[in-house]
RNA sequence: CGGGAUGUGGCUCAGCUUGGUAGAGCACUGCGUUCGGGACGCAGGGGUCGGAGGUUCAAAUCCUCUCAUCCCGACCA
């Protein structure tokens, strides 16, 4: 492509709307433009990067035995009512009516549609397993879209679904996809980890997230420094070592009420008593489909709501507003404690080892000092309820955990029979018995993958695209358009790149050299080939790799074989995938 | 939905406190000079100051409402 003919509006200044690096660079490099919050147009340069990621995804999915389909984006409400997600999915589901006042939604995901398709097509175990995928625009009316393509409302997603005869076969499909995903993100040139995750609204019982490590990521992941254990902090466990030494030191017979005016937070209370927050217990009220409950954790820890939800066996969980707690339970938020409450109390496993502790008195303006586990309050539900901290012990080995930030670019789930039972996607097995298919689902955020790649591959001058997803592999810079010799040679070189199938951006604009260098850096083409009058006189072209910030190499004009072998090498590295 | 902030030529922003001729840089058009890391000169085009209402002789500026966008918390590829 000739730069002079391409719609590639690079920006010198950073648009005010962009905060994170990838968003800024994607705007500056003329890849995307915002239409509305979380809704973006893809410009040619950006679309090329997306298509490259899609290409890798398709190649690896097909190699893994999946087949591409394309399902409708607009879906009838009936299907969602059948799966009972019409109500469950909430406001993220964009709903609308057609001219006959029938309810529809714009698909945020396609379990219903694919299951509906399959239930009409598959009758026999002989037709299984089956793995279908698509690459398509999704819409989720996110509460807070942000960071450009990182969390858009409209976004391009690869979603795939597997159908198997039983759980064992489904596990094979899952592992097959896990390997395919590993190849995909490796080929995209990303530094990522596959981590254990919560399965969220999609449901099911087993899932992994593929997380690209980046400080700007929205997710926190805990991983072991020694073994390969890695999990989203939402899900992460740590091995508990109770410290018995503190549990016996009891100096009083019963807790003592102390007036603590205006001490409604742990920090206030810690300052008031001049103790460490770890000596205070944090008591919180949660409401779920099973009613109210109190959750008690050490004052220096954060409650992990997913663990609470799991411990309760609840379908949903939320923190009720203080007014509701006051009205319905007659408890003062800010002065809550586990002693004497009538609702179920869940206690974090560390609490019994805290010895004498301070807790709320359930009376406005008062706390209790010298409260003891066992003597003053008890619960038969003592479990792990807090978020892991860095430095805690790995649940699998004797290593410790570290916390990193990351961007979730892929997520794979074992769904079980959740959808196939609801939608009656059944088949006859070898015994002639009717069974529900066992499903899995597998997503990749295509735009987010591009954003994550930029997040991980940039420097102060711009993007440093990994070779595989770079829209152009090479930037060819003609520094002296007016020099016939130089231009003639550049034109020849340009044609040669095209002949060899190496995608090239030929900067033939009537611009000063500085502009061309700046744009080449910003746009991040992996290889930069420069020819100017000076070089031509000396009989050389200059070649520089963008990513390594390498030295400029000089190749003779009359022998470009070293240049071509450089590309052969880059191409080979790109597609060399480690297979088990 | 809470909390914080911002809306002024295509982009980045000043002007607002203390009401009185809408400004700068970049970008754009023309001409000339430049030409190896975002050049310079001259001459141009382009703005209902997010929108509505109000106060006032007079509103970008003060007041009310509204819309949009961004950032911090619950959702997720």
């Amino acid at each position: 492509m000739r730069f002079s003919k391409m719609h590639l509006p690079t920006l010198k200044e950073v648009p005010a709307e962009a905060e994170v690096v990838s968003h800024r660079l994607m705007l500056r490099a003329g890849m995307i433009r915002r239409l509305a919050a979380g809704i973006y147009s893809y410009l040619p340069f950006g679309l090329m990067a997306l298509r490259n990621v899609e290409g890798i995804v398709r190649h690896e999915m097909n190699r893994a035995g999946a087949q591409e389909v394309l399902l409708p984006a607009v879906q009838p409400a009936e299907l969602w009512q059948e799966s009972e997600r019409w109500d469950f999915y909430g406001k993220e589901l964009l709903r609308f009516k057609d001219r006959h006042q029938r309810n529809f939604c714009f698909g945020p995901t396609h379990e219903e549609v694919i299951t509906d398709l399959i239930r009409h097509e598959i009758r026999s175990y002989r037709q299984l397993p089956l793995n279908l995928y698509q690459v398509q625009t999704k819409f989720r009316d996110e509460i807070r879209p942000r960071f450009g393509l990182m969390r858009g409302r409209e976004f391009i997603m690869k979603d795939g679904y597997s159908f198997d005869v039983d759980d064992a076969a489904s596990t094979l499909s899952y592992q097959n996809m896990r390997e395919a995903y590993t190849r995909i993100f490796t080929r995209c040139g990303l530094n990522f980890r596959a981590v254990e995750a919560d399965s969220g609204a999609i449901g099911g019982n087993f899932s992994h997230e593929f997380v690209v490590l980046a400080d700007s990521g929205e997710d926190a992941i805990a991983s072991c420094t020694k073994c390969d254990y890695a999990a989203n902090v939402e899900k992460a466990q740590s091995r508990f070592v109770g410290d018995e030494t503190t549990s016996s030191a009891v100096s009083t017979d019963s807790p003592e009420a102390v007036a603590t005016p205006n001490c409604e937070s742990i920090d206030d209370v810690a300052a008031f008593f001049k103790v460490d927050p770890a000596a205070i217990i944090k008591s919180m009220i949660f409401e779920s489909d099973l009613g109210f409950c109190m959750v008690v954790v050490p004052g220096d820890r954060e409650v992990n709501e997913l663990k609470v939800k799991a411990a309760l066996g609840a379908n949903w969980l939320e923190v009720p507003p203080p007014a509701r707690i006051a009205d319905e339970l007659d408890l003062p938020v800010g002065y809550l404690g586990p002693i004497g409450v009538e609702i179920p109390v869940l206690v974090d496993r560390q609490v019994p080892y805290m010895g004498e502790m301070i807790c709320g008195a359930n009376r406005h303006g008062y706390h209790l000092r010298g409260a003891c586990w066992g003597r003053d309050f008890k619960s038969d539900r003592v479990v792990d309820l807090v978020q892991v901290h860095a430095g805690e012990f790995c649940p699998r080995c004797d290593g410790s955990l570290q916390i990193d930030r990351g961007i979730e670019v892929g997520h794979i789930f074992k769904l079980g029979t959740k959808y196939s039972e609801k939608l009656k996607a059944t088949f006859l097995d070898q015994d002639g018995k009717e069974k529900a298919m066992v499903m899995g689902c597998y997503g990749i955020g295509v735009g987010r993958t591009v954003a994550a790649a930029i997040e991980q591959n940039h420097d102060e001058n711009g993007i440093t695209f990994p070779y595989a997803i770079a829209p152009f592999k090479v930037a060819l810079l003609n520094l002296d358009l007016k020099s016939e010799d130089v231009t003639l040679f550049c034109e020849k070189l340009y044609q040669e790149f095209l002949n060899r199938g190496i995608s090239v951006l030929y900067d033939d604009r009537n611009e000063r050299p500085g502009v061309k260098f700046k744009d080449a850096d910003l746009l991040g083409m992996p290889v930069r080939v420069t020819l100017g009058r000076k070089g031509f006189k000396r009989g050389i072209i200059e070649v520089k790799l963008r990513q390594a910030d390498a030295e400029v190499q000089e190749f003779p004009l009359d022998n470009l074989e070293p240049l071509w072998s450089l590309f052969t090498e880059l191409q080979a590295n790109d597609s060399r995938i480690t297979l088990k």
Side-chain angles (χ1 to χ4, degrees), chain A residues 423-445:
Chain A
L423 295 173
K424 302 191 176 53
T426 59
F427 66 97
L428 288 183
D429 73 4
Q430 293 175 66
D431 310 329
K433 280 196 201 133
E434 190 174 47
K435 281 186 178 170
M437 292 173 217
V438 183
M439 293 172 57
C441 88
Y442 317 96
I444 291 177

Side-chain angles (χ1 to χ4, degrees), chain A residues 250-261:
Chain A
V250 176
S251 59
T252 55
D253 296 333
S254 61
E256 167 198 5
V258 180
T260 52

